[in-house]
Amino acid sequence: MATPPRKQLPNSAAPAIDSQPSLKAISAGHLDIGCAVHDTQRLSPKEQQLLLHHFSSITAENVMKPEPIHPEPQRYRFEPVDAMVGFCEQHALKLIGHTLAWHQQSPAWFFETGDDGLSPKHRLSQHIAEVVGRYAGRLHAWDVVNEAVADTAANGEYLRDTPWLRALGEDYLIQTFKEARKADPKARLYYNDYNLERRDKRARALKLLQRLLDAGADVSGVGIQGHWILDQVPFEEIEQSIEQYAALGLEVMFTELDLDVIDRPDCSADLDVQRAYSLEEDLYRDGCPPDVLARQAEQYAQLFQLFRQHPAVTRVTFWGLHDGQSWLNHWPGTRTNHPLLFDRALNPKPAFWQLVG
Ligand code: XIL
């Protein structure tokens, strides 16, 4: 695909937020533009203004994951989530709940039969009924299952070896979707994962999705996380993926988009992958060089050109509001990253201007 021509970038100081072209307005009618937010109660006034000016939806970055929302068998932590739901209603933002069944950020007791006599199957049911039921009718959607497909075809398995799979077998996937649907009859229900665009993993994901649909699970869409690395974006595979997932009748979304400007060990987003970065490897701790920002702008533009060409693509969510909030400052190790559209001072970067130009 041809690279879009580079736009003239403004060289004066960044315009005030209110005078910036709005990302959500530009995409209105065909693409919902979202970002992940950790805690709506801890947004600064300027972050809130930026969020409301540019984004039409948010995804709960952490507060709705099993461990934060349900730290002990009889204890839930709903307070930050209630606040987030209220914030979204107040400002007419769609909210995407993230996530119900995942092998990460889930307490170990979830997968064990405890002194209370509850089995993992019951715990999962109870969790879904409590959490999804509490917010039924108020959330736009749920990332119901996260990262259940295997990264490699080792042992001929197509599913990732997780405590859920070991405890309940493949049926936990169908159970999770069916119980989510029961607890909220209207929310859109998604399967979400990283590297879903890669040919191999895509074949396994298509198999899972087909099995879920055949079993009567009400899957509304597929979320391709999109944690990509600068200069390594797999554009062709992304385009093939959109077409193949859409052919199942599913919404296709890019749910956790960022473009890492520092190389990392692999292109996954597996939280188990860890590495230490030395001070010398923290290449851009004093700022990101203009040529890197320009390449990032071109690659974001090329991605959006692709997204906009395919009506099956309904949402693009950035994984964080601005560079200072990105998880890529901490994973797979600590370094100063610059993966998003707004910098640490909340000013639009070249990638932003390229997208709205
Ligand atoms: C990340 C959060 O951004 C971090 O704050 C947290 O410490 C770890 O999880 N794939 C996912 C997200 O589906 O839930 C992860 O979010 C990033 C990878």
Side-chain angles (χ1 to χ4, degrees):
M1 197 185 9
T3 307
R6 194 179 293 177
K7 308 257 164 49
Q8 196 61 43
L9 305 175
N11 50 16
S12 52
I17 293 172
D18 276 350
S19 1
Q20 294 167 10
S22 154
L23 275 176
K24 69 176 174 192
I26 283 166
S27 307
H30 53 109
L31 263 189
D32 177 23
I33 304 290
C35 77
V37 175
H38 179 62
D39 186 343
T40 48
Q41 293 170 300
R42 292 191 353 223
L43 292 169
S44 71
K46 194 169 172 193
E47 284 174 332
Q48 179 168 325
Q49 196 193 359
L50 190 72
L51 173 70
L52 298 178
H53 187 69
H54 289 294
F55 297 92
S56 44
S57 72
I58 66 175
T59 301
E61 184 170 352
N62 286 297
V63 290
M64 298 174 94
K65 289 173 177 171
E67 177 130 57
I69 204 172
H70 193 173
E72 292 167 34
Q74 299 310 325
R75 190 163 70 84
Y76 290 85
R77 210 169 147 261
F78 288 129
E79 190 266 333
V81 185
D82 290 350
M84 187 175 276
V85 173
F87 177 87
C88 289
E89 287 176 341
Q90 186 188 349
H91 298 289
L93 286 165
K94 291 178 186 164
L95 177 57
I96 291 90
H98 174 87
T99 176
L100 298 169
W102 191 24
H103 59 288
Q104 302 283 6
Q105 293 180 274
S106 301
W109 56 261
F110 243 108
F111 310 111
E112 293 155 8
T113 301
D115 298 339
D116 55 10
L118 280 186
S119 67
K121 191 174 164 68
H122 281 98
R123 293 193 191 289
L124 183 59
S125 299
Q126 199 180 58
H127 178 79
I128 296 171
E130 284 287 336
V131 174
V132 180
R134 181 179 179 92
Y135 301 109
R138 302 176 70 191
L139 259 58
H140 174 70
W142 272 99
D143 289 337
V144 175
V145 175
N146 200 29
E147 301 178 357
V149 172
D151 283 335
T152 63
N155 313 320
E157 300 295 339
Y158 81 108
L159 294 177
R160 179 191 293 272
D161 180 22
T162 68
W164 279 129
L165 187 67
R166 269 172 262 144
L168 302 181
E170 270 190 51
D171 282 356
Y172 88 90
L173 294 158
I174 302 166
Q175 178 194 340
T176 309
F177 271 94
K178 290 202 166 169
E179 290 181 357
R181 173 51 72 230
K182 202 167 124 203
D184 187 336
K186 291 223 180 92
R188 310 286 294 163
L189 303 181
Y190 303 139
Y191 176 72
N192 194 61
D193 208 332
Y194 61 77
N195 287 356
L196 283 188
E197 72 285 357
R198 308 276 156 164
R199 195 165 278 102
D200 275 22
K201 191 162 174 179
R202 191 198 319 152
R204 291 187 283 278
L206 286 164
K207 175 170 162 179
L208 168 63
L209 290 163
Q210 192 61 62
R211 285 197 178 180
L212 287 169
L213 293 168
D214 289 347
D218 194 0
V219 184
S220 332
V222 57
I224 299 170
Q225 290 184 5
H227 292 294
W228 291 310
I229 303 173
L230 191 67
D231 302 330
Q232 300 176 35
V233 182
F235 292 105
E236 263 181 46
E237 290 182 304
I238 295 169
E239 181 148 37
Q240 291 158 3
S241 304
I242 298 171
E243 287 162 0
Q244 291 183 8
Y245 291 120
L248 293 181
L250 299 173
E251 267 186 76
V252 182
M253 290 148 293
F254 294 85
T255 51
E256 304 189 12
L257 183 58
D258 42 30
L259 273 187
D260 197 333
V261 294
I262 302 162
D263 208 1
R264 59 180 197 242
D266 69 21
C267 65
S268 84
D270 189 337
L271 295 191
D272 286 340
V273 174
Q274 297 286 329
R275 69 154 288 188
Y277 287 85
S278 63
L279 202 58
E280 298 79 63
E281 288 173 301
D282 186 8
L283 290 175
Y284 306 138
R285 63 183 178 278
D286 298 323
C288 196
D291 63 306
V292 174
L293 292 175
R295 292 207 315 277
Q296 185 182 50
E298 277 167 15
Q299 290 165 38
Y300 265 125
Q302 208 173 330
L303 277 170
F304 269 73
Q305 196 178 57
L306 201 55
F307 300 156
R308 287 172 174 146
Q309 271 165 10
H310 292 272
V313 179
T314 53
R315 173 166 56 92
V316 180
T317 294
F318 293 86
W319 205 242
L321 176 61
H322 59 83
D323 286 344
Q325 293 281 340
S326 168
W327 76 304
L328 292 176
N329 295 302
H330 313 289
W331 179 87
T334 303
R335 73 267 206 255
T336 315
N337 220 321
H338 306 264
L340 298 167
L341 299 187
F342 300 96
D343 67 18
R344 284 166 169 71
L346 310 196
N347 290 324
K349 292 164 60 184
F352 170 84
W353 294 112
Q354 190 82 26
L355 294 190
V356 299

